[in-house]
Amino acid sequence: MKEITRRNFIATATLATGFALAVQPISAQVITTDAKGLIAGAVKIPVQDGEIPAYRAQPATGENFPIVLVIQEIFGVHEHIQDVARRFAKLGYLAIAPELFIRQGDVSKLSSIDEIRPIVAKVPDAQVLSDLDATVDWAVKSAKGNADKLGITGFCWGGRITWLYSAHNPKVKAGVAWYGRIVGDATELQPKHPVDIASTLTVPVLGLYGGKDTGIPLDTVEKLREQLKSSSSKSEIIVYPDAPHAFFADYRPSYRKKEAKEGWKRLQAWFKRHGV
């Protein structure tokens, strides 16, 4: 069998449908947002080495929409991330969630986190930042997006990327990072982490973390908060004392309705305050 090249793979890759296999069964508390009044569905984003799939949601009428990049968890752009994009579109945003692992593999078809982690570990930060640049370019040129009103939000893996992209692209007006990893060893694929870029950050980022998150120790959250004090970004950190990791993920047992709703309100206010 002929080996599939990376270029061929991403050219034929498609967006996930439904929830990722690794997160079954789905919680009864799951939020479902319809697409009434929206243009919503899969699109292809031209990138340096081909195309990547993405999920786009925006109002069916109008133009010059503020843009929100929605960055996935380790489970890929599955139904939860797509639903979040539709929630933004209902608020008047052009929301777009690019599939950022697709060159390394289709994580939506894997049934356990242990299978997913090695794939995600191979994703270079430089590739992700370049793909997000391409996504912003597509949003402006092909989907009536307003480059002067650009925001970003991400969850877990995407929370870390939210900090990094806000440092990478100073045109971002505001970011909201949900419980992303803060510290780590410098490697070739991941040369920097949020704590490393915090002191020079210029984009205002709101960090939302859980006090009961066993994967993100509170001392690292405080370290990030301390580093941000010397930046000009006016970023803020909020810790919900009783919330675990993934408290916004309404399809999982980790969901905490009170903290999730409060965090969503904070996100909207943060974006409005900073011109997104």
Side-chain angles (χ1 to χ4, degrees):
M1 184 176 174
K2 187 179 177 183
E3 184 181 350
I4 298 175
T5 66
R6 190 169 93 153
R7 178 182 288 275
N8 287 342
F9 179 75
I10 68 169
T12 58
T14 57
L15 202 65
T17 56
F19 289 92
L21 289 180
V23 296
Q24 308 293 332
I26 303 305
S27 166
Q29 298 187 81
V30 68
I31 295 170
T32 303
T33 306
D34 64 44
K36 187 177 180 181
L38 306 179
I39 297 171
V43 295
K44 296 279 189 181
I45 307 293
V47 292
Q48 286 182 349
D49 52 352
E51 292 180 325
I52 60 172
Y55 186 85
R56 173 270 302 267
Q58 68 187 80
T61 58
E63 59 185 355
N64 218 29
F65 303 111
I67 302 166
V68 178
L69 299 172
V70 182
I71 314 301
Q72 66 211 57
E73 314 147 295
I74 65 168
F75 306 112
V77 183
H78 67 132
E79 177 55 31
H80 172 64
I81 297 299
Q82 295 174 26
D83 196 274
V84 171
R86 292 193 294 275
R87 295 174 208 178
F88 275 115
K90 294 276 187 178
L91 296 172
Y93 291 99
L94 160 58
I96 184 157
E99 185 61 86
L100 298 167
F101 306 156
I102 206 68
R103 296 172 185 77
Q104 285 72 34
D106 183 355
V107 296
S108 71
K109 304 293 193 292
L110 301 177
S111 58
S112 77
I113 291 179
D114 289 340
E115 290 178 285
I116 292 173
R117 288 190 197 281
I119 289 175
V120 177
K122 295 174 185 173
V123 181
D125 287 344
Q127 169 191 295
V128 173
L129 300 177
S130 175
D131 284 353
L132 290 176
D133 285 343
T135 301
V136 173
D137 192 50
W138 182 90
V140 173
K141 291 178 179 176
S142 305
K144 302 177 182 176
N146 184 346
D148 295 325
K149 292 191 171 187
L150 173 62
I152 182 171
T153 191
F155 307 88
C156 186
W157 182 89
R160 174 180 175 273
I161 295 300
T162 296
W163 289 104
L164 296 185
Y165 191 71
S166 297
H168 166 78
N169 184 358
K171 292 180 181 177
V172 173
K173 285 286 191 290
V176 178
W178 301 76
Y179 38 80
R181 187 160 58 100
I182 292 168
V183 301
D185 295 330
T187 66
E188 186 178 354
L189 297 183
Q190 298 183 340
K192 291 187 177 181
H193 297 279
V195 74
D196 303 314
I197 56 86
S199 63
T200 56
L201 191 65
T202 59
V203 171
V205 178
L206 175 65
L208 302 173
Y209 295 89
K212 299 287 176 65
D213 190 331
T214 56
I216 302 175
L218 279 178
D219 64 328
T220 66
V221 177
E222 291 309 314
K223 188 174 182 181
L224 178 61
R225 196 198 300 269
E226 195 60 34
Q227 289 293 321
L228 288 167
K229 288 179 181 177
S230 56
S231 80
S232 62
S233 68
K234 297 183 180 176
S235 296
E236 295 180 15
I237 301 286
I238 303 292
V239 175
Y240 294 102
D242 298 321
H245 188 72
F247 62 83
F248 189 79
D250 50 70
Y251 65 100
R252 295 168 68 184
S254 57
Y255 178 57
R256 297 295 183 269
K257 185 176 181 179
K258 178 185 173 185
E259 288 86 346
K261 288 182 74 173
E262 209 271 343
W264 185 245
K265 282 183 180 177
R266 282 186 182 273
L267 174 148
Q268 292 177 62
W270 188 259
F271 279 174
K272 292 296 183 193
R273 187 194 314 172
H274 297 291
V276 181

